[in-house]
Amino acid sequence: MKKVIIAMSVIAFAFGSCQKQAINPSNNAQSDLLPTTANYYCNGQQVTHQSEITNYNKTATSIVITDQLNGTLSYYYFDNAALSEAFVSQHTELSALQTKIKQSETMYEYANSIHEEDYLAQHGSNSEAFTSFVKQYKTRAFPIALFNGTSYTGAAWGVIGPTPLLAPGINNLSNSIRSGSGLPINLTMFDLPCFNPAGGSVYITVASVPVLGGFGWANRISSVNY
């Protein structure tokens, strides 16, 4: 309980810390305007321009993408994974996603305990021990599909269950994602292997995202917990 209270206190502070930045006069104001088809938030504060998202495209930034809270597609940017996780834990509508986040944390802790990233660097693939460990978290029979192109074009790759390291032909080569069922995807994606949140993470509870680059995540997926 103490940990939760601290997390809520931290996120409450972060919500008030994201100050709007002046738009660079050298930029075209129209191109800086965010699409009106979705809502955008920076550390809890709603914004309308990309230049107002102080952590846009930064390495450690975590993003929650969902339409489950108010029926409107919304992007919630946070400075790090801890803040985004605290946000998710506040909403019962995102409970399934919270389970995925906890699973990712468990798998990442195990990866650290057996030095999995060192093994990856040496062998270019996951160890049998880690591969066996993550199989217990496979919960769905149908895959998500990662596409090389935007709007579900180009080569497509199916992913079933947690994948600690995407294959060379998939790793950091994805521009759009779609569910195999048309239902929301309770999914976490990382731009480092073994579900490492240090390099940034994306949490998705919508059925599809046609343009990952629209929020700075084109070709940035190395591992997936689905």
Side-chain angles (χ1 to χ4, degrees), residues 89-104:
S89 69
Q90 294 180 67
H91 301 281
T92 57
E93 299 93 333
L94 305 179
S95 60
L97 182 58
Q98 180 65 21
T99 298
K100 285 296 178 186
I101 295 172
K102 293 298 183 184
Q103 288 178 359
S104 296

Side-chain angles (χ1 to χ4, degrees), residues 132-149:
S132 177
F133 182 82
V134 299
K135 283 182 179 179
Q136 65 185 296
Y137 296 109
K138 178 180 174 180
T139 58
R140 298 196 182 189
F142 56 83
I144 58 170
L146 295 169
F147 295 84
N148 185 20

Side-chain angles (χ1 to χ4, degrees), residues 187-218:
L187 165 77
T188 60
M189 302 189 301
F190 304 89
D191 67 357
L192 288 176
C194 296
F195 320 109
N196 187 343
S201 52
V202 171
Y203 311 81
I204 294 180
T205 56
V206 292
S208 60
V209 178
V211 187
L212 291 169
F215 53 93
W217 260 78

Side-chain angles (χ1 to χ4, degrees), residues 67-133:
D67 57 5
Q68 305 300 296
L69 298 181
N70 55 18
T72 300
L73 181 63
S74 299
Y75 296 75
Y76 300 87
Y77 289 79
F78 298 97
D79 289 336
N80 53 59
L83 293 177
S84 58
E85 181 180 346
F87 170 77
V88 171
S89 69
Q90 294 180 67
H91 301 281
T92 57
E93 299 93 333
L94 305 179
S95 60
L97 182 58
Q98 180 65 21
T99 298
K100 285 296 178 186
I101 295 172
K102 293 298 183 184
Q103 288 178 359
S104 296
E105 291 175 347
T106 299
M107 290 185 284
Y108 181 56
E109 290 172 2
Y110 181 72
N112 279 339
S113 72
I114 62 173
H115 307 289
E116 183 68 13
E117 292 203 42
D118 291 339
Y119 185 95
L120 273 172
Q122 182 178 355
H123 300 279
S125 60
N126 289 106
S127 66
E128 290 185 13
F130 192 59
T131 300
S132 177
F133 182 82

